[in-house]
Amino acid sequence: QVPLVESGGGLVQAGGSLRLSCAASGRTFSRYAMGWFRQAPGKEREFVAGISWSGASTYYLDSVKGRFTISRDNAKNTVYLQMNSLKPEDTAVYYCAADHGTVVAGKPPDYWGQGTQVTVSS
């Protein structure tokens, strides 16, 4: 198990920014690929961004490219999602994810966090 705890969600106006953090327990954080998914009311959970264990490779949902940036600090066991130019359609519960392989669209990760709400008002 890899306990994952998200923070940083909240209410922001359209055009604003938020930074989500996901802290992981344990000494093997750097061995996991990490990522973020989101689920809006009435919709399926969707992949948002992924990052390799080293941070060298990143992947994004097309609709967030250029606005969101995923990064990680292995010394702090933490992965981040910087979200800029937020839109009302970004409103969702955002979930941190960890995987022994990769975190990409179409592949359920091995571990999930509990989620943090992001609400973007128009």
Side-chain angles (χ1 to χ4, degrees):
Q1 277 285 8
V2 180
L4 303 170
V5 179
E6 301 98 333
S7 61
L11 173 64
V12 64
Q13 288 187 333
S17 298
L18 282 175
R19 189 177 80 156
L20 304 183
S21 299
C22 173
S25 301
R27 289 179 281 184
T28 59
F29 175 79
S30 63
R31 299 180 187 177
Y32 293 94
M34 301 295 296
W36 294 90
F37 287 71
R38 68 186 181 187
Q39 188 167 18
K43 295 187 177 182
E44 293 187 354
R45 194 172 297 188
E46 66 176 354
F47 167 82
V48 175
I51 188 167
S52 61
W53 65 270
S54 67
S57 298
T58 56
Y59 316 91
Y60 294 96
L61 177 69
D62 283 347
S63 62
V64 308
K65 285 180 180 177
R67 299 189 298 122
F68 291 11
T69 302
I70 188 170
S71 61
R72 66 189 296 161
D73 185 337
N74 287 343
K76 296 182 178 179
N77 282 12
T78 302
V79 63
Y80 305 97
L81 186 67
Q82 178 67 43
M83 305 185 294
N84 299 328
S85 302
L86 282 161
K87 304 176 181 180
E89 51 263 44
D90 295 318
T91 295
V93 177
Y94 283 70
Y95 295 90
C96 181
D99 195 274
H100 291 90
T102 58
V103 177
V104 292
K107 176 182 175 295
D110 294 326
Y111 306 105
W112 293 104
Q114 84 286 354
T116 185
Q117 177 71 45
V118 171
T119 303
V120 184
S121 63
S122 57

